[in-house]
Amino acid sequence: MEIPKTYDKSREAEIYSRWLEGGYFRASAENGKAQGKKPYTIMMPPPNITSQLHMGHALNNTIQDILIRFKRMQGFETLWMPGTDHAAIATEVVVMKALAQQGITKDDLGREGFLEKLWEWNEEYGGRIINQLKKLGCSCDWERLRFTMDEGLSDAVLEAFVRLYEEDKIYRGERLVNWCVKCQTSISDAEVEHKDTEGYLYHFKYPVEGVGHIAFATTRPETMLGDTAIAVAPNDDRYKDLVGKFAEVPMVGRKIPIIEDSYVDPEYGTGVVKITPAHDPNDFEVGNRHDLPRINIMNNDGTINEIGGTAYQGLTREDARKKIIEDMTARGLYIKAEPLTHAVGEHDRCGTAIEPLMQLQWFVKMDALAKPALDAYTSGKLKFNRERFGKTYAHWLENIRDWCISRQLWWGHRIPAYYCENGHITVSKSVPEKCSTCGAIHLTQDEDVLDTWFSSALWPFSTLGWPEKTSELDYFYPTNTLVTDRGIIFFWVARMMFMGEKFMGEIPFTHVFINGTVNDEHGRKMSKSLGNGIDPLEIIDDFGADTLRLMLTNGGALDNDTRFFRERLEPARNFLNKLWNATRFVIMNMDGFNESLEHYTHARGLTQQLEDEWITDLTNRLVVEVAEKLEAHEIGMAVGKIVDFIWDEFCDWYIEMVKPRLYGVQKAMETGDETAIENAKKLRFTAQYTLGMVLDTLFKVLHPITPFITEDLFLALNHATGTPSEVRTITTQPWPVLYPAKAGVVSLAEKSIERMKEAIRAIRAVRTEKQVPPSKKIAIIVVPMDEESRILFNFTKDFFTALSGASHVDMQDPDVAIPSSTVSIVVSGANIYLPMDALVDREKENARLTKEKQKLEQEIARIDSKLANEGFMAKAPEALVAAEREKREDFAAKLAKVNEELKG
RNA sequence: GGGCGCAUAGCUCAGUUGGGAGAGCGCCUGCCUUACAAGCAGGAUGUCGGAGGUUCAAGUCCUUCUGCGCCCACCA
């Protein structure tokens, strides 16, 4: 079979559908229990149905897929639960826009009609991102796909609401809420984005009965219409005579008291604050303390209402502000306006300035709920991949306020509260027949729906069947790792924590991995408004999902922000191409392997060569180290180790080392010597065997990162080596175990091969420096300094000859005279002579040696000064001192040789 | 205003308990060596943002300054 020379990404879709057909991603509580497997569960942060895959999703889901595939190979019963959330506001906005094109409004359709349109829209577009995740290679259990408005999840929402209500943890009350005058709904604190805005600080004064005026400042003059007090700091000498007197709000003629409250900072401005309890959160608190009336002067659309006075009624916030400034000026009460940059809250979905408005809304009482969620972190049960994220989490919970959960929307879970004509509230999962307080039978349900995050907060257990006691819930809950981005630590992570603790009695996960943000090439956030977003699907089309996944995870610290640009994909693509070709090479050189398998499997004396042992040892260590890194969620490091190993050790060294053995049979056949042929075949066989085994292992450790190419190559290699046909996929293969790891032990094979690499590198460096082309083969003389080295050079003669570009290698004893026209190289355990006098430029050679000498002297001086340092000798670990001494000896020996060389 | 992060080679970034400064890309030299030119071999490149401190030893710990970035926040 011909294999193309370049990495073939076009098979990804086909491979993926084969996986689905095989059902390899399915999780089963029953099977897991029956087989005594431990569960490993990840809950995918449900993207909302309006979203399409962006780079953040790509990174986030690649991380999850790596962890879940790794755990699956390790033999866990793995569940990666996928799903979507209904995103009440975002979805309504999208659908309303679509309807607006046809000239239809939400109100034209009515609640029922609009909901029908929303479901239709969800039917058509809600699954887009799911298909996009499949292109990325995500190995979710898609048969369990959930949506926050599924029947089961909706039931969980009602159950949770009713229980919290019955325990008095949910209440309805008049509070100032963040009101979006455009969306006409309240929103939670977390949905408010604060932006620095250029504005003015307006200075005015109000007349005070009998004593003139009192000056104050405000950024929002229109709220003056709702003022119900003037406040000064307690014991402020400037104003102590005024406290208790009444000022007058001119436009509405209201008399308001002058009070003292510690909220006022006497140092700021004039030390006087006007108090508008119905339109400012602080003033609301002050109002409570002083029992002030709350005067709401605004309609829900942001215009002034009838209480604001006939002169202003119907004006927008902005117009009312202008008119009030004019009117105050006319009355001589306007002082000045100074430019001011201040933070103004905006709705994160539509960018409209938030208006704090008094509303009857539903709230979740947070103090009692937040405590266990905070304790879980402080006690160490909940771990974040970086401490700083834990701090953010804790800080938020420590300063949490009650959560406004009602939204004046239609798309979502309608609040299960019913009102009778006497104003009583009945909360019930199903429509109640009568009022639970007075028995009245005419009940109307609350018009509002719940905050989307209320349902998302239940996600870890609602998706597993709660409130039913399912075996899934029993087996898979609590989950293991949550992978998400910084932006929703508050929205989602914290809320899942307290809901899980509340309803399951156990936190929903023990590890949180917060991934960094994928920015554009200049480090700016990718955003629609900037138009700098890069579509992962385009990248997948151009490079393949594996390349994208590898680029996103290789080397980096995944908790740090990263910059994305197309050029960064090339190294990843090049690596996959390298792996592809290495496999192609191995497959091409499997001639005779199957016959040999039968011949030699039971044959004695088929020991591995030194280089086989070496690469096996290294591969074994790699497997252990990668597993350790993945366990520790150091994904970037795990990936980096694999990539470096495959490229450097396996491809650049091992494959080159075994080439003479692979080609040896052919050569032996030319001689016709039966014994030689048989020996060559044995050598070839062990090379083929080791190549296949190591490569097979490498595919497995790489599989979680780049699942498609490893599946493809794994099957191709197994086909070539004649592995039984029941091996149909790499996804269900166990994580490789070659033999028990010898942690930290450097094997003899490893030390030996490292020495050979050093020798080869040294020869290559000299050759390059002297500009000897690779095609020019030269005779090399090796003089081993001891018996061990002599054996080593003998054992590795074949590849040593090939890799150093030698025509042949002569082993000589130290007492044999070396031809004078040679260049000598000193390596560990041997002197090497390149008889290439004709090619040597004496001046260049001396320059090289001098440079080498200086370098060695420097190193020795460095170590000497260290060894002469009393502090170091007294306090440094013994092993370190010994290592330094050893290095010094080594350098000194080389220096002696170099000096000798320079003399001669 | 509070909290946090980043600053290391020309560029993008690693550097896990303090112990000889790394990778990829780019650059220079030589190679189409029967897997791969998306490749191979060799090479150059850093007062690890500035200043102090702790230590025998600091990119790594502490203090402070500068320049970016993020999050939180009710100073009228």
Side-chain angles (χ1 to χ4, degrees):
Chain A
M1 184 180 62
E2 272 300 302
I3 306 173
K5 271 179 138 177
T6 48
Y7 151 48
D8 182 5
K9 63 179 166 42
S10 67
R11 300 232 273 272
E12 291 183 352
E14 182 207 317
I15 292 169
Y16 196 86
S17 55
R18 223 166 47 220
W19 286 335
L20 288 190
E21 280 162 29
Y24 305 131
F25 306 152
R26 267 186 235 145
S28 162
E30 305 306 331
N31 287 352
K33 279 182 195 170
Q35 294 172 31
K37 288 182 176 180
K38 279 192 202 160
Y40 186 87
T41 314
I42 295 181
M43 292 284 163
M44 177 187 288
N48 80 60
I49 50 173
T50 69
S51 61
Q52 303 225 47
L53 195 76
H54 56 63
M55 247 354 132
H57 289 128
L59 172 64
N60 175 255
N61 286 288
T62 297
I63 293 169
Q64 294 176 71
D65 198 40
I66 288 173
L67 293 178
I68 208 85
R69 283 179 186 271
F70 169 59
K71 288 291 171 179
R72 188 177 295 130
M73 294 176 83
Q74 278 192 324
F76 287 80
E77 184 70 22
T78 50
L79 168 59
W80 185 11
M81 174 68 77
T84 50
D85 82 47
H86 61 279
I89 293 177
T91 310
E92 284 206 10
V93 167
V94 168
V95 174
M96 280 196 294
K97 264 187 198 161
L99 289 172
Q101 302 233 316
Q102 306 164 39
I104 307 172
T105 68
K106 188 175 163 177
D107 290 316
D108 294 341
L109 296 166
R111 187 165 193 137
E112 294 304 315
F114 186 55
L115 279 175
E116 213 169 284
K117 292 283 179 201
L118 282 156
W119 278 109
E120 277 171 25
W121 188 91
N122 179 43
E123 197 63 36
E124 188 163 355
Y125 301 108
R128 277 180 306 190
I129 192 155
I130 297 305
N131 290 322
Q132 293 164 348
L133 287 166
K134 290 178 180 173
K135 284 197 168 178
L136 189 64
C138 296
S139 62
C140 305
D141 185 352
W142 296 109
E143 290 175 24
R144 294 177 188 271
L145 185 70
R146 292 287 185 276
F147 175 49
T148 45
M149 281 174 67
D150 284 349
E151 209 176 312
L153 276 69
S154 298
D155 184 61
V157 167
L158 297 184
E159 178 78 20
F161 187 95
V162 171
R163 281 206 213 168
L164 288 171
Y165 179 78
E166 282 167 358
E167 290 180 31
D168 219 19
K169 293 210 163 53
I170 282 186
Y171 63 92
R172 191 182 192 221
E174 193 166 62
R175 289 282 184 287
L176 277 190
V177 296
N178 304 301
W179 186 263
C180 177
V181 298
K182 189 176 170 208
C183 303
Q184 300 258 329
T185 181
S186 61
I187 60 172
S188 71
D189 291 337
E191 288 164 309
V192 179
E193 219 165 80
H194 291 266
K195 284 207 178 129
D196 277 346
T197 310
E198 303 292 328
Y200 291 94
L201 182 61
Y202 301 94
H203 293 252
F204 298 103
K205 55 189 176 181
Y206 281 164
V208 181
E209 49 174 3
V211 282
H213 296 87
I214 186 162
F216 60 91
T218 178
T219 53
R220 298 194 304 153
E222 66 275 16
T223 63
M224 284 160 63
L225 300 171
D227 285 356
T228 56
I230 290 286
V232 298
N235 309 316
D236 187 332
D237 288 344
R238 292 171 294 178
Y239 302 111
K240 65 177 182 211
D241 295 340
L242 293 178
V243 175
K245 292 194 162 46
F246 284 81
E248 187 188 329
V249 183
M251 285 77 62
V252 288
R254 188 184 309 122
K255 303 270 194 236
I256 57 173
I258 296 170
I259 58 171
E260 289 183 332
D261 193 281
S262 57
Y263 156 64
V264 180
D265 174 3
E267 307 291 319
Y268 190 90
T270 56
V272 180
V273 182
K274 69 183 207 56
I275 302 299
T276 324
H279 293 281
D280 182 280
N282 292 308
D283 294 7
F284 186 86
E285 300 291 325
V286 176
N288 283 353
R289 284 196 285 273
H290 297 271
D291 214 12
L292 299 172
R294 302 168 190 159
I295 299 176
N296 184 357
I297 54 144
M298 211 172 278
N299 295 311
N300 287 353
D301 63 0
T303 58
I304 305 299
N305 66 17
E306 69 281 1
I307 299 166
T310 46
Y312 304 98
Q313 184 173 1
L315 294 181
T316 63
R317 291 182 283 188
E318 295 75 17
D319 290 343
R321 179 177 300 181
K322 271 184 218 155
K323 184 154 167 46
I324 282 172
I325 295 167
E326 282 166 18
D327 291 352
M328 288 295 279
T329 308
R331 289 167 200 256
L333 298 173
Y334 170 79
I335 301 168
K336 62 178 176 179
E338 40 185 17
L340 175 79
T341 305
H342 59 137
V344 173
E346 292 182 358
H347 184 193
D348 63 357
R349 292 275 168 206
C350 69
T352 310
I354 292 300
E355 190 64 40
L357 269 194
M358 250 185 354
Q359 294 270 344
L360 257 185
Q361 300 279 351
W362 288 93
F363 294 86
V364 175
K365 223 180 266 181
M366 284 313 306
D367 43 5
L369 284 173
K371 198 177 173 302
L374 183 58
D375 290 347
Y377 170 69
T378 47
S379 72
K381 263 196 290 180
L382 174 70
K383 292 185 181 66
F384 286 80
N385 57 329
R386 293 291 181 267
E387 211 47 55
R388 60 177 189 272
F389 300 127
K391 280 186 197 162
T392 310
Y393 168 88
H395 187 258
W396 188 69
L397 283 172
E398 280 160 4
N399 298 288
I400 198 162
R401 302 198 300 177
D402 285 354
W403 175 17
C404 175
I405 50 169
S406 43
R407 296 288 180 279
Q408 290 63 51
L409 303 166
W410 289 340
W411 180 237
H413 304 101
R414 192 162 171 182
I415 292 176
Y418 303 83
Y419 309 106
C420 74
E421 58 261 41
N422 299 319
H424 301 130
I425 300 173
T426 303
V427 168
S428 164
K429 280 178 78 173
S430 54
V431 180
E433 285 175 13
K434 56 184 175 104
C435 171
S436 59
T437 309
C438 68
I441 54 166
H442 291 293
L443 301 172
T444 50
Q445 188 175 1
D446 196 300
E447 292 294 323
D448 293 352
V449 298
L450 288 165
D451 181 6
T452 307
W453 295 105
F454 188 91
S455 49
S456 305
L458 312 176
W459 187 256
F461 46 94
S462 65
T463 52
L464 294 172
W466 188 88
E468 302 297 319
K469 287 196 161 99
T470 62
S471 104
E472 272 78 13
L473 196 58
D474 179 50
Y475 186 65
F476 290 115
Y477 191 94
T479 73
N480 298 79
T481 306
L482 180 80
V483 185
T484 190
D485 74 55
R486 228 171 342 182
I488 57 178
I489 291 178
F490 311 134
F491 283 107
W492 197 46
V493 180
R495 287 168 180 168
M496 278 192 288
M497 282 294 294
F498 64 68
M499 287 294 200
E501 177 72 42
K502 171 74 205 151
F503 290 111
M504 296 297 297
E506 219 174 337
I507 57 173
F509 34 79
T510 49
H511 289 79
V512 177
F513 185 105
I514 300 291
N515 59 261
T517 310
V518 185
N519 293 319
D520 75 357
E521 59 181 314
H522 301 108
R524 298 171 308 178
K525 223 174 193 165
M526 288 190 189
S527 73
K528 274 183 197 156
S529 54
L530 276 174
N532 60 344
I534 298 173
D535 183 358
L537 296 169
E538 250 175 59
I539 301 296
I540 290 173
D541 279 345
D542 293 350
F543 289 86
D546 281 338
T547 301
L548 176 61
R549 291 168 61 117
L550 182 60
M551 177 258 144
L552 287 171
T553 54
N554 186 14
L558 269 33
D559 54 302
N560 280 347
D561 292 356
T562 183
R563 298 181 192 204
F564 189 103
F565 43 94
R566 284 185 153 248
E567 290 73 26
R568 289 193 67 182
L569 288 155
E570 285 171 18
R573 180 202 56 188
N574 293 353
F575 168 75
L576 294 179
N577 197 47
K578 184 79 180 172
L579 178 68
W580 179 272
N581 278 295
T583 308
R584 195 163 72 93
F585 171 80
V586 172
I587 289 174
M588 278 164 49
N589 284 286
M590 277 296 165
D591 310 341
F593 181 72
N594 287 330
E595 305 98 80
S596 298
L597 195 59
E598 285 164 28
H599 282 264
Y600 299 123
T601 300
H602 305 293
R604 287 176 177 266
L606 261 190
T607 50
Q608 285 191 313
Q609 297 296 297
L610 204 52
E611 63 270 25
D612 300 337
E613 255 182 74
W614 165 74
I615 198 72
T616 307
D617 287 347
L618 287 194
T619 305
N620 185 57
R621 189 188 301 162
L622 177 78
V623 169
V624 173
E625 285 178 353
V626 168
E628 279 171 5
K629 291 296 173 196
L630 290 178
E631 297 280 4
H633 295 165
E634 295 282 353
I635 294 171
M637 283 208 177
V639 179
K641 274 178 188 292
I642 304 170
V643 167
D644 289 350
F645 181 82
I646 291 179
W647 203 313
D648 298 342
E649 308 292 5
F650 186 70
C651 292
D652 287 347
W653 285 104
Y654 184 68
I655 286 184
E656 295 306 322
M657 285 175 184
V658 295
K659 273 180 180 174
R661 288 159 64 193
L662 294 173
Y663 304 144
V665 175
Q666 201 72 40
K667 271 190 184 167
M669 300 239 275
E670 285 162 21
T671 67
D673 178 343
E674 284 303 322
T675 317
I677 293 172
E678 188 62 14
N679 278 336
K681 277 189 175 174
K682 283 181 184 170
L683 281 172
R684 186 180 67 175
F685 173 74
T686 46
Q688 289 170 325
Y689 174 80
T690 310
L691 280 169
M693 186 194 61
V694 169
L695 199 50
D696 185 81
T697 305
L698 294 176
F699 293 153
K700 287 172 187 165
V701 294
L702 190 60
H703 179 253
I705 295 111
T706 56
F708 294 109
I709 190 174
T710 48
E711 169 85 351
D712 220 7
L713 297 178
F714 171 82
L715 292 178
L717 179 68
N718 277 294
H719 179 74
T721 55
T723 302
S725 58
E726 55 262 27
V727 176
R728 290 172 198 281
T729 177
I730 195 174
T731 58
T732 55
Q733 291 289 307
W735 185 256
V737 179
L738 298 190
Y739 49 79
K742 289 174 273 181
V745 175
V746 179
S747 68
L748 180 64
E750 210 178 319
K751 279 184 198 157
S752 306
I753 294 295
E754 282 310 319
R755 281 175 56 187
M756 294 315 297
K757 284 165 69 175
E758 182 199 337
I760 291 163
R761 269 196 286 252
I763 294 168
R764 283 172 172 174
V766 173
R767 289 182 59 120
T768 299
E769 193 167 346
K770 306 210 177 295
Q771 313 214 334
V772 184
S775 51
K776 171 94 183 166
K777 305 296 177 197
I778 55 177
I780 290 179
I781 299 168
V782 173
V783 179
M785 279 151 69
D786 50 43
E787 181 61 11
E788 192 189 315
S789 299
R790 199 185 60 78
I791 295 170
L792 175 57
F793 274 89
N794 259 328
F795 271 0
T796 56
K797 204 167 174 180
D798 279 356
F799 76 72
F800 177 66
T801 307
L803 300 195
S804 55
S807 53
H808 61 280
V809 175
D810 287 329
M811 300 284 282
Q812 286 190 11
D813 292 334
D815 53 354
V816 175
I818 299 298
S820 58
S821 56
T822 59
V823 173
S824 99
I825 304 170
V826 181
V827 298
S828 307
N831 290 342
I832 296 173
Y833 299 90
L834 307 187
M836 40 195 284
D837 201 46
L839 299 161
V840 174
D841 177 332
R842 198 64 230 173
E843 260 177 51
K844 265 192 183 174
E845 177 61 11
N846 281 341
R848 181 185 74 81
L849 288 167
T850 308
K851 209 169 145 194
E852 176 76 14
K853 182 183 169 179
Q854 282 172 356
K855 209 171 149 190
L856 288 168
E857 282 171 348
Q858 259 176 28
E859 293 291 343
I860 290 169
R862 188 182 57 76
I863 295 174
D864 281 346
S865 80
K866 215 168 185 180
L867 292 176
N869 183 325
E870 283 173 29
F872 176 78
M873 295 308 285
K875 296 187 182 172
E878 257 178 57
L880 184 66
V881 177
E884 293 286 338
R885 287 216 167 98
E886 202 174 307
K887 272 186 275 181
R888 195 201 180 283
E889 274 178 40
D890 208 34
F891 287 137
K894 285 182 183 173
L895 183 60
K897 288 288 169 191
V898 168
N899 279 332
E900 203 175 297
E901 197 61 29
L902 271 171
K903 264 187 248 163

